[in-house]
Amino acid sequence: MNRIHTQTRRPPHPANRMIRFWHPKKIDRLFVILFSLLLIGSAQADSQRMSQHLSVFGAVQAEQQFTLGQLKQLAGSHLKDIPVLCQSGANKGHMESLSGVPLKTLLEHVGLKVPKGKDLRKVAILAYGTDDYWVTFSWGEIFNQPQGDRVLIYYAKNGQALGQESGQFALMPTNDTRTGARQVKWLERIEVRLMTP
C-alpha cells in the first residue's frame, strides 16, 4: 500500500514576522503618515488660536474691539531689522520688517481712565494671546520712555500679512534686549489695569 506523505508547514518564528513587519519601506511609510498627522494637528491648533478681533478693556475711556481693518486706520509704524532673542538669550534669527500700530498709539486712541493724573504711574498694561500666554508693561515703559513707541502690535511681517503661525495680530517689544521673551503671538486682548497695593 502506497503511503501519502503530507508536509506540515511550521508557523514562522515570531522574530521573522517582526523582521518582515519592520521592513525599511514600511518604516518609511509609517514615518510619513505620522509626520503628516503631526502637521495636520499643528495646523488645526494654530487655526483655532486665530483671533478675529483685538479687544482693549479695563481702565480706559471706552472699551473697544478692533478688526484688522479698523486697526489699520490708526497711525501705523514700519520697523526694520528686528533681532529675535528668546528668554535664554538664544538667537532665533531676525525679522526683516514689521508693520503695525504702536501699543502707545492704540492706548492713546481709547484713552486711559484713572482718578487723577498721578495714578498713571500705577497703571499696568497686560497683553494676552489666545494660547493663554500673557506679558506685562508699565505705563512708564510705554509713555515715559522713548522706546515706548517701539512696542508694536503688528499685522504684517516681511511684507506679508500674518498667517496662522502668528495670528492675525501679534505684539513685539522691538527695543527689548531679549525681544522674544515678551513677544505675544495670537494677540487677542489688551487690558489696562490700575494697580493697588
Side-chain angles (χ1 to χ4, degrees), residues 7 19 33 35 44 58 60 67 70 72 77-78 87 94 98 100 106 118-119 133 157 164 172 190:
Q7 186 174 4
I19 290 171
I33 292 170
F35 186 69
Q44 288 176 339
V60 295
T67 63
Q70 290 170 332
K72 286 182 176 181
S77 182
H78 185 73
Q87 188 167 334
H94 77 284
L98 293 177
L106 181 68
K118 288 185 178 181
D119 288 332
Y133 183 72
K157 180 175 71 174
Q164 293 180 355
M172 175 64 86
I190 301 290

Side-chain angles (χ1 to χ4, degrees), residues 24-122:
K25 289 184 178 179
K26 290 186 175 180
I27 292 174
D28 288 345
R29 285 198 294 269
L30 183 61
F31 177 79
V32 169
I33 292 170
L34 290 174
F35 186 69
S36 299
L37 290 173
L38 285 172
L39 287 178
I40 292 170
S42 177
Q44 288 176 339
D46 287 349
S47 176
Q48 292 170 356
R49 290 172 178 162
M50 289 289 283
S51 173
Q52 300 303 314
H53 300 89
L54 176 60
S55 300
V56 186
F57 65 99
V60 295
Q61 297 291 339
E63 296 187 355
Q64 284 188 247
Q65 271 194 345
F66 293 86
T67 63
L68 179 59
Q70 290 170 332
L71 191 67
K72 286 182 176 181
Q73 291 176 7
L74 302 181
S77 182
H78 185 73
L79 303 178
K80 294 183 178 181
D81 197 21
I82 299 104
V84 182
L85 300 176
C86 68
Q87 188 167 334
S88 68
N91 188 345
K92 297 295 183 179
H94 77 284
M95 299 176 176
E96 293 178 7
S97 67
L98 293 177
S99 298
V101 174
L103 176 59
K104 179 180 178 180
T105 300
L106 181 68
L107 295 176
E108 287 175 337
H109 178 77
V110 298
L112 302 185
K113 185 178 181 180
V114 294
K116 49 189 176 182
K118 288 185 178 181
D119 288 332
L120 287 170
R121 66 192 69 177
K122 304 172 187 175

Side-chain angles (χ1 to χ4, degrees), residues 103-170:
L103 176 59
K104 179 180 178 180
T105 300
L106 181 68
L107 295 176
E108 287 175 337
H109 178 77
V110 298
L112 302 185
K113 185 178 181 180
V114 294
K116 49 189 176 182
K118 288 185 178 181
D119 288 332
L120 287 170
R121 66 192 69 177
K122 304 172 187 175
V123 165
I125 298 108
L126 295 83
Y128 302 90
T130 60
D131 59 347
D132 295 328
Y133 183 72
W134 57 278
V135 300
T136 62
F137 299 88
S138 69
W139 172 86
E141 278 185 280
I142 304 301
F143 289 93
N144 202 31
Q145 294 185 19
Q147 60 265 33
D149 289 324
R150 295 184 61 86
V151 179
L152 191 70
I153 297 170
Y154 65 98
Y155 43 73
K157 180 175 71 174
N158 303 335
Q160 300 293 323
L162 297 185
Q164 293 180 355
E165 75 285 351
S166 297
Q168 190 163 214
F169 313 98

